Amino acid sequence: MALNGIDISNWQSGINLAVVPCDFVVIKATEGTGYVNPDYERAYRQAKTAGKCLGIYHYASGGNIQAEAEYFLKNAGSRVGEAMLVLDWEGRSNPAFGVNDREWVKAWCNYISTKTSVNPVIYVQQSMMSRLQNIGNYGLWVAQYASMEPIGYQENPWNEGAYACVMRQYSSSGRLSGWNGNLDLNKFYGDRQAWSRYAGKGNQTTSEKPSEEEENQEGTTLDLVFFGRCVENLEMGKNGKAGLEPDMEKCRG
């Protein structure tokens, strides 16, 4: 069982989420410590009324970790426990990207988890997955594209199965009825109940702390929570193809 859905930001302001076909919507809420998506609240209300599975994300600016986490939580408000919480980890306007990825992301997620009893999901491009090795019990939403050609929902996205993830973004050139423009297309590997588990409070699971050797190990393995199970030692990029990994946030805003 899987769900098809989209993620949106200010670039899709005014989109009618009751008309565009999607099982779920992940909406940009905040960026850094000074930006709130002006269409965030309207889009969220409309998606909720339309019965969509809900998610909200924070675009990391790589600044003060606690300040960015608190800013996100302030604007998330009562949506915590109802919407999947997501950290968007990309390179644009983020000096920590490619420098101390694991430390920053882990600290932000740990802070959110401690404050809310919800484990956030991490959005990241496929080539950066190994930098988040042993990150903890935080699911990954992985972006990797076969091309930039316009497409609709795909039952079996390109390179599916090469690595494990909670959710896969396989296009930023998606075309769906009800919106005259590009959309990010995603596949969530679970049903509505599984989505609710990621969104709901108490979704934390306990795992043994990795040894110092495991903490410092580099390679092509990743530990992550996949529907409540710890998936260990997964090979990345089995077919050797890197795929397209454009600056998605630059397109989304």
Side-chain angles (χ1 to χ4, degrees):
M1 179 64 182
L3 302 177
N4 294 311
I6 60 175
D7 58 278
I8 60 174
S9 66
N10 185 50
W11 288 97
Q12 290 80 34
S13 289
I15 187 171
N16 189 341
L17 297 169
V19 173
V20 175
C22 54
D23 299 317
F24 63 85
V25 183
V26 184
I27 304 164
K28 181 174 184 177
T30 55
E31 179 173 340
T33 57
Y35 175 84
V36 177
N37 172 14
D39 199 43
Y40 159 49
E41 293 193 4
R42 182 210 66 84
Y44 190 94
R45 287 194 302 270
Q46 188 178 68
K48 182 176 179 179
T49 299
K52 310 298 184 183
C53 291
L54 301 165
I56 56 176
Y57 74 88
H58 172 76
Y59 185 93
S61 291
N64 182 281
I65 295 168
Q66 181 173 333
E68 290 203 30
E70 285 290 352
Y71 189 69
F72 175 61
L73 291 178
K74 174 185 175 182
N75 287 282
S78 61
R79 300 170 186 88
V80 174
E82 178 178 74
M84 179 187 290
L85 307 182
V86 178
L87 174 66
D88 187 348
W89 187 249
E90 299 185 48
R92 182 187 63 81
S93 302
N94 181 359
F97 186 84
V99 179
N100 62 330
D101 306 86
R102 182 180 179 278
E103 293 78 7
W104 203 102
V105 172
K106 184 177 178 66
W108 191 93
C109 289
N110 286 349
Y111 189 89
I112 295 293
S113 179
T114 299
K115 284 284 188 175
T116 66
S117 297
V118 176
N119 278 3
V121 169
I122 305 162
Y123 173 95
V124 66
Q125 64 195 55
Q126 189 276 334
S127 63
M128 296 295 287
M129 289 176 72
S130 63
R131 288 181 174 268
L132 301 184
Q133 185 177 2
N134 296 322
I135 197 71
N137 293 318
Y138 305 114
L140 295 187
W141 172 12
V142 179
Q144 187 180 35
Y145 307 159
S147 75
M148 300 303 291
E149 293 297 317
I151 59 172
Y153 287 128
Q154 303 290 296
E155 184 176 352
N156 301 111
W158 172 79
N159 211 27
E160 185 173 53
Y163 44 82
C165 55
V166 169
M167 187 154 55
R168 168 77 182 274
Q169 184 186 92
Y170 54 87
S171 178
S172 64
S173 305
R175 293 302 178 95
L176 300 175
S177 61
W179 179 252
N180 186 26
N182 290 336
L183 290 167
D184 292 340
L185 301 184
N186 304 275
K187 181 177 181 179
F188 173 74
Y189 295 99
D191 56 16
R192 292 180 67 92
Q193 184 178 8
W195 184 283
S196 295
R197 287 178 57 196
Y198 277 100
K201 293 184 179 181
N203 71 0
Q204 300 159 311
T205 59
T206 302
S207 63
E208 294 183 2
K209 184 181 185 299
S211 66
E212 183 176 349
E213 180 180 358
E214 291 172 325
E215 287 274 5
N216 297 326
Q217 182 181 4
E218 294 184 0
T220 57
T221 62
L222 182 72
D223 293 338
L224 57 94
V225 169
F226 188 64
F227 303 133
R229 297 182 294 111
C230 185
V231 181
E232 300 178 344
N233 300 328
L234 298 168
E235 296 181 4
M236 303 302 173
K238 294 179 181 177
N239 62 6
K241 296 182 180 179
L244 297 177
E245 294 177 339
D247 185 348
M248 281 71 73
E249 183 61 23
K250 184 177 180 181
C251 300
R252 294 200 302 255

